[in-house]
Amino acid sequence: MTIDAQILAALRKGNSVSGAELASALSISRAAVWARIEELRSLGYEIEASPHEGYTLRKVPDVLHADDLLSRLHHVTVIGRDFRVFQETTSTNDIAEKLARDGVREGVVIFAESQTKGRGRLGRKWVSPPGKGLWFSILLRPAIPPQSVTWMTIAAATALVRAFRTIPGIKPDIKWPNDILINGKKVAGILTEMSAELDKVRHLILGIGIDVNLEKSDLPAELQQIATSLRIESGHKINRAELAALLVRNLDHDYERVTSGRFAELAEEWEEHCTTVGQEVEIIMGDRTIQGRAEALDADGALLVRTEHGRLERIIGGDVRTRKTT
Ligand code: BT5
């Protein structure tokens, strides 16, 4: 952990902590502690200094800050060992791709306060206004076969749902393969991109977009009826950094479940929250459309759909619509 992350973690733990305690815990001088506190203040942290009590953290700004995120995590195994935060970028997936090519180790999480070219699947646009969402990507190098890469989308959806359920009043559903909905409206999307050889995943980028504190007016007109935010649905503003830390912990936990061969356990949790399984669906994959009943996930994370002709089809991508049956 960086010095600033350790200072923030210490301030968060106790009511107040003295400069001498911090200096000795971090093996730096009291003057150096003071300089770091000043730096944190300049970023918007309200830290009170009193001669008797020491330093007290009064207020944390609503910004994403790598040291702050690090200070909120303890004992993550892979995801969240390293953070990079950008004010603005084209797409956090582009940054992750660059880091992958530079040989950066897996687990790094890249956040941006806003994206100018946020993307969804098939070149669709992902709206990413500044300061109100969580737009981030994770670089991973899992030792799994390329055909099982859907596991990662399933893992991410499960981790997101578990985090959203901690917010009072929020009941999220998963719409296969990559949408999280609340009351039928999209609140988050997942974009999984990979670079692979025939039998080996070189790297994989999990891009996640969450509408956290967006108001209706932050969304373009064409999305206002089909998208929502955690703030709109819960009726209150959400602490983005706290949610981000919880998500990263969940993602780390679920990544471990996938890489240690416990996908079946994860799939069971996913199915509990997925509204697609058990429904009559229509799935559009390019110029092909399949109709049938979504029955379950198979061992690779593909959706098994029983067509009208009784055949079981394995579906690994596409856009799903629930069909009304009469
Ligand atoms: C997705 O694609 O849902 C994947 C979205 C992934 C976004 C993250 S943000 C961080 C990382 N960096 C990126 O550049 N991307 C990832 P798809 O299933 O194709 O859905 C795209 C559709 O969702 C669009 O065509 C719109 O209809 C809708 N949409 C766009 N922006 C939205 C938003 N902010 N909230 C809800 N729906 C949105």
Side-chain angles (χ1 to χ4, degrees), residues 90-94 110 115 117-129 134-137 177-179 185-193 205-211 214 219-220 222-223 226-228 318-319:
T90 48
S91 156
T92 52
N93 271 37
D94 293 342
I110 303 112
Q115 299 183 114
K117 288 195 181 139
R119 59 178 181 264
R121 293 174 303 150
L122 306 168
R124 293 179 196 135
K125 204 174 147 192
W126 183 260
V127 173
S128 327
L134 288 175
W135 328 123
F136 64 107
S137 301
N178 69 322
D179 290 354
K185 292 183 173 180
K186 183 155 169 172
V187 72
I190 302 161
L191 174 69
T192 310
E193 296 180 321
I205 295 164
L206 212 49
I208 299 175
I210 305 171
D211 299 319
L214 281 75
L219 291 163
E222 69 273 18
L223 291 185
I226 56 169
T228 190
D319 286 304

Side-chain angles (χ1 to χ4, degrees), residues 244-262:
L246 175 60
L247 282 165
V248 168
R249 276 197 297 270
N250 284 353
L251 285 160
D252 185 56
H253 173 74
D254 286 342
Y255 184 56
E256 213 262 321
R257 289 212 270 181
V258 169
T259 52
S260 64
R262 290 184 291 143

Side-chain angles (χ1 to χ4, degrees), residues 1 5 8 12 45 63-74 80 83-85 109 111 134 240-246 248-249:
M1 247 202 258
L8 286 170
R12 214 169 257 127
Y45 292 85
V63 292
L64 298 171
H65 173 206
D67 289 317
D68 179 56
L69 292 167
L70 267 180
S71 76
R72 292 169 187 268
L73 295 171
H74 311 280
F83 287 95
R84 315 278 165 104
V85 179
V109 188
F111 280 90
L134 288 175
R240 286 186 308 146
E242 206 174 277
L243 179 64
L246 175 60
V248 168
R249 276 197 297 270

Side-chain angles (χ1 to χ4, degrees), residues 171-314:
K171 289 201 177 62
D173 295 314
I174 301 169
K175 181 178 161 216
W176 183 89
N178 69 322
D179 290 354
I180 311 294
L181 310 182
I182 303 173
N183 295 324
K185 292 183 173 180
K186 183 155 169 172
V187 72
I190 302 161
L191 174 69
T192 310
E193 296 180 321
M194 76 163 161
S195 158
E197 289 160 33
L198 263 184
D199 55 354
K200 180 173 172 270
V201 172
R202 242 183 261 125
H203 67 257
L204 182 145
I205 295 164
L206 212 49
I208 299 175
I210 305 171
D211 299 319
V212 182
N213 287 325
L214 281 75
E215 318 250 15
K216 209 167 178 181
S217 57
D218 293 314
L219 291 163
E222 69 273 18
L223 291 185
Q224 291 188 359
Q225 297 311 315
I226 56 169
T228 190
S229 75
L230 295 171
R231 179 181 190 157
I232 294 171
E233 298 298 324
S234 69
H236 63 88
K237 195 172 168 204
I238 311 285
N239 182 322
R240 286 186 308 146
E242 206 174 277
L243 179 64
L246 175 60
L247 282 165
V248 168
R249 276 197 297 270
N250 284 353
L251 285 160
D252 185 56
H253 173 74
D254 286 342
Y255 184 56
E256 213 262 321
R257 289 212 270 181
V258 169
T259 52
S260 64
R262 290 184 291 143
F263 176 69
E265 177 189 307
L266 186 70
E268 214 172 281
E269 187 180 339
W270 181 91
E271 281 192 26
E272 266 174 48
H273 301 292
C274 179
T275 47
T276 312
V277 172
Q279 298 288 319
E280 292 297 324
V281 294
E282 181 172 81
I283 298 176
I284 302 157
M285 298 171 297
D287 49 15
R288 192 165 167 233
T289 301
I290 289 184
Q291 294 190 336
R293 186 178 174 78
E295 291 199 336
L297 286 185
D298 78 357
D300 281 328
L303 187 69
L304 296 175
V305 175
R306 177 81 58 190
T307 68
E308 290 146 320
H309 315 292
R311 231 185 17 249
L312 204 55
E313 294 251 10
R314 277 184 85 245

